[in-house]
């Protein structure tokens, strides 16, 4: 007999959002417009973490990757209700374990459903009411379906997916490629170069993702190719801005303080290179981005290194 709980969709839900930055507020706006209650927690807010956690049917984490482990341990000390669904909207890799945010949440709460939310979702466009789509992925179909219903609207289309790892890695790894894309545009290398970069970037993402156990087809969907196209082509992307401004001659120390939020690709690149070396995965684009972020090469050096690689079949 299947003892997994089913989640009713006939009544308004209470969503507790951890992290009241731009992304957390945007997601909360979508849910509140659908008639659900939203409570926010942030380190600088006036609500206690315990108040927000204990009152939530759905607990959504939108904190930066570096803050996940700390917040998670505090939530674990407080405890979750028996029917609480965890949703993670963080895109990054943990520096200590190289795990994704969802993997950290699932390890800490093995008896709770964890849902990954990711897609081509530029916050400012969503706040303006422009149409967008996203993916909610989980090993628990009923949990994903409830989250789908809570977030869906005429301007925000939500799809479910049974491959949470693939959905999360697509949203995480494209941030590295967005930095490279920003460099490409900042150096005015043209459309041909950009097309080549994104095509090879997707190949690199798939190579990494399938090596970690994700499904290849996931990366051709909204959370993979879709998110890659949006993030690598929009000045609204923080990671794109990092690459673009590096190509303009600014330093990382000058760029990061002026960004509206965290450019997760900076930390993700460092952790990815660490894991790729250990597992012997070929990541040529990510490696050049890493060298650039470390100040070991210039943007032009990075491009030349990629163009001068050995001739081989595609």
């Amino acid at each position: 007999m299947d003892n997994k709980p089913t989640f009713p969709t006939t009544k308004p839900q209470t969503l507790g959002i951890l992290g009241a930055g731009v992304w957390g507020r945007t997601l909360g706006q979508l849910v509140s417009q659908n008639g659900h209650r939203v409570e926010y927690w942030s380190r600088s807010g006036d609500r206690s973490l315990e108040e927000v956690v204990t009152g939530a049917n759905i607990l959504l984490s939108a904190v930066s990757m570096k803050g996940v482990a700390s917040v998670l341990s505090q939530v674990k000390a407080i405890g979750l209700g028996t029917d609480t669904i965890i949703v993670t909207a963080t895109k990054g890799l943990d520096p200590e374990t190289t795990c994704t945010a969802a993997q950290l949440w699932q390890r800490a709460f093995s008896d709770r459903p964890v849902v990954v939310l990711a897609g081509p979702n530029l916050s400012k466009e969503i706040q303006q009411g422009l149409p967008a789509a996203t993916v909610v992925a989980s090993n628990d179909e009923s949990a994903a379906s409830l989250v789908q219903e809570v977030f869906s609207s005429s301007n925000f289309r939500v799809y479910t997916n049974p491959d949470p790892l693939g959905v999360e890695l697509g949203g995480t790894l494209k941030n590295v490629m967005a930095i490279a894309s920003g460099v490409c545009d900042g150096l005015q290398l043209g459309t041909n170069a950009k097309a080549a970069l994104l095509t090879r970037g997707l190949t690199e993402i798939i190579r990494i993702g399938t090596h970690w156990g994700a499904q290849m087809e996931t990366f051709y969907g909204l959370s993979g190719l879709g998110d890659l196209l949006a993030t690598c082509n929009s000045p609204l992307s923080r990671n794109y801005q990092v690459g673009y401004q590096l190509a303009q001659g600014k330093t990382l120390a000058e760029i990061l303080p002026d960004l509206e939020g965290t450019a997760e690709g900076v930390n993700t690149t460092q952790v990815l290179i660490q894991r790729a070396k250990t597992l012997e995965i070929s990541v040529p684009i990510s490696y050049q981005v890493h060298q650039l972020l470390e100040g070991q090469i210039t943007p032009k050096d990075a491009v030349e290194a990629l163009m001068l690689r050995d001739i081989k079949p595609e």
Side-chain angles (χ1 to χ4, degrees):
M1 182 177 177
D2 189 354
N3 292 321
K4 284 187 177 181
T6 57
F7 303 99
T9 59
T10 55
K11 64 179 182 179
Q13 304 295 311
T14 299
L15 192 78
I17 297 183
L18 309 181
V22 177
W23 187 217
R25 290 282 178 182
T26 300
L27 292 171
Q29 176 183 320
L30 288 169
V31 173
S32 62
Q33 288 173 346
N34 286 344
H36 301 285
R37 181 181 178 186
V38 179
E39 299 285 351
Y40 296 96
W41 172 85
S42 68
R43 290 183 176 86
S44 59
D46 55 3
R47 297 296 306 278
S48 72
L49 182 61
E50 185 171 4
E51 284 179 297
V52 173
V53 169
T54 55
N57 304 115
I58 299 173
L59 187 67
L60 186 148
S61 173
V63 298
S64 66
M65 190 66 225
K66 289 184 177 180
V68 169
S70 172
V71 170
L72 188 156
S73 64
Q74 294 176 67
V75 172
K76 192 168 180 62
I78 295 169
L80 293 178
T82 57
D83 63 346
T84 302
I85 298 172
I86 299 167
V87 180
T88 174
T90 303
K91 298 176 179 178
L93 298 172
D94 178 53
E96 295 296 324
T97 64
T98 73
C99 289
T100 66
Q103 288 174 328
L104 294 180
W105 282 102
Q106 196 68 82
R107 284 183 181 182
F109 297 96
S110 58
D111 59 338
R112 298 289 190 281
V114 175
V115 179
V116 173
L117 188 153
N121 302 148
L122 297 166
S123 299
K124 288 188 178 180
E125 289 191 1
I126 296 172
Q127 289 171 351
Q128 294 168 11
L130 296 174
T134 199
V135 179
V136 290
S138 179
N139 294 320
D140 188 310
E141 184 179 352
S142 63
S145 295
L146 175 59
V147 175
Q148 177 187 42
E149 181 168 329
V150 167
F151 279 94
S152 293
S153 69
S154 59
N155 285 332
F156 196 67
R157 185 163 179 83
V158 184
Y159 295 84
T160 58
N161 188 295
D163 179 22
L165 178 60
V167 167
E168 192 171 26
L169 285 178
T172 295
L173 300 177
K174 56 83 187 177
N175 285 332
V176 180
M177 302 306 161
I179 295 174
S181 182
V183 171
C184 185
D185 285 352
L187 293 176
Q188 298 183 335
L189 298 182
T191 304
N192 289 334
K194 183 80 165 287
L197 173 66
L198 296 187
T199 303
R200 298 311 302 167
L202 179 61
T203 299
E204 190 164 311
I205 289 172
I206 292 172
R207 183 186 308 123
I208 299 165
T210 53
H211 194 284
W212 288 4
Q215 300 300 310
M216 179 185 293
E217 57 268 24
T218 302
F219 297 102
Y220 292 105
L222 282 170
S223 60
L225 178 59
D227 206 355
L228 181 71
L229 293 175
T231 310
C232 291
N233 286 299
S234 176
L236 294 175
S237 162
R238 294 184 291 271
N239 295 285
Y240 174 96
Q241 279 296 329
V242 168
Y244 191 91
Q245 293 184 50
L246 284 171
Q248 299 295 306
K250 288 188 176 182
T251 66
L252 203 57
E254 293 172 327
I255 297 167
L256 295 182
D258 291 334
L259 295 177
E260 188 180 356
T262 303
E264 290 286 7
V266 175
N267 173 68
T268 297
T269 302
Q270 182 178 10
V271 181
L272 172 60
I273 293 302
Q274 172 190 336
R275 181 155 181 165
K277 285 181 178 179
T278 302
L279 300 178
E280 298 183 346
I281 306 172
S282 175
V283 290
I285 299 175
S286 302
Y287 179 74
Q288 294 305 322
V289 172
H290 178 253
Q291 294 284 91
L292 176 61
L293 294 175
E294 292 292 306
Q296 297 176 8
I297 59 173
T298 68
K300 289 184 178 179
D301 290 336
V303 172
E304 289 177 2
L306 290 171
M307 294 301 292
L308 295 176
R309 296 183 71 227
D310 292 342
I311 297 172
K312 64 176 184 177
E314 183 180 27

